[in-house]
Amino acid sequence: MTATTTTEPAAATPPDRLAILNRLVARPEVGALLGAVVVFVFFTIVTTKFLKPLGISTWLDDASTLGIMAVAVALLMIGGEFDLSTGVMTASTALITGLLAVHAGWNIWLGLAVSLLFALTVGALNGWVVMRTGLPSFIVTLGTFLALQGLNLGVTRWATGTVQVSGVRSAGGYQSAGWVFASTTKIGNATIQASVVWWIVVTVIAAIVLVRTRFGNWIFAVGGALPTARAVGVPATRTKILLFMTTAFAGWIVGACNLLRFAGVQANQGVGLEFQYIIAAVIGGCLLTGGFGSVVGAAIGALIFGMARQGIVLAGWNSDWFMLFLGVLLFSAVLVNNAFKKRAERVRR
């Protein structure tokens, strides 16, 4: 009689746990979330000021306006396009509102309405030109950037004799508009700016639109494969025009927040920030090729910016180190995003 032995199979990851892990890793914002945790823990250890109420409110404030724009830019990048006029748009809309309110004597709400109409018109024009001509959006919006920068400087100097608009507090409607765009809320010893609330609201709305609506599916479709999207009936031109209008609208929100908070605006305000918006979106999981990304990730990318920039200041370091950090972060984000996209593609198969 021979004895038989049975061998136990090697322990394996339960299928349900493996499925959850695959879905988690496939999310484009996971890399940004991990990066945010690392930055948070690092500066919490380096400086005791980081987690104090003043420190928290400072880095949230720093990230808020960047986050508003990064979310809109992320939607556009997922749709396969870029907008280099986003930074200067924040100044253009603020200047229009300020000039009409201070130098033309208009109620500030009416000035805000005109500047919003201006922003949406420019955004629609950007989208229409890109889709009509087939030119890269990088080139089209670079032209818009230069044109708006020239208009900002020329018109402001012509109207005021300087390159700034000030005195907004004396305009009619300032109190109510200031409450909407520039009020503060006390939470314990921390002072939270209205821009932080706008950042949260914009992120929530954009996330719902992207993952829960037909328009969100259209965004992924036109960014991933434009000819295929058109072939199955996606209104590609309308979708991309609306995305450009979205970045312009976000620029209007940021312009209003800055104008009403500081009661003035410089003609060159926002110039150069367009690259930071794109970097925040890339850190958040957006690919430069389109069709992949997350608005929640872009918001987290902006939070990393705020924590790093203010953490360096709170630690007493030279702020020049922030640019080194930014370069390393961008390079790492691109590598991580590509790896996560490949993993997501394998999971879908």
Side-chain angles (χ1 to χ4, degrees), residues 24-67:
L24 181 63
V25 173
R27 296 296 305 172
E29 64 270 14
V30 170
L33 182 60
L34 294 175
V37 171
V38 170
V39 173
F40 178 84
V41 171
F42 176 76
F43 283 110
T44 299
I45 295 172
V46 167
T47 171
T48 58
K49 298 177 182 178
F50 190 75
L51 274 186
K52 290 184 177 179
L54 179 59
I56 294 173
S57 60
T58 299
W59 46 261
L60 283 177
D61 181 26
D62 187 293
S64 60
T65 51
L66 174 62

Side-chain angles (χ1 to χ4, degrees), residues 42-43 46-47 308-309 311-322:
F42 176 76
F43 283 110
V46 167
T47 171
R309 185 152 45 202
I312 288 171
V313 173
L314 293 172
W317 301 346
N318 191 315
S319 60
D320 292 341
W321 287 107
F322 175 72

Side-chain angles (χ1 to χ4, degrees), residues 194 205 219 280 291:
I205 293 174
I219 294 172

Side-chain angles (χ1 to χ4, degrees), residues 126-135 230 237:
N126 279 338
W128 181 82
V129 171
V130 168
M131 298 305 291
R132 180 72 175 178
T133 63
L135 290 171
R230 281 176 164 156
T237 299

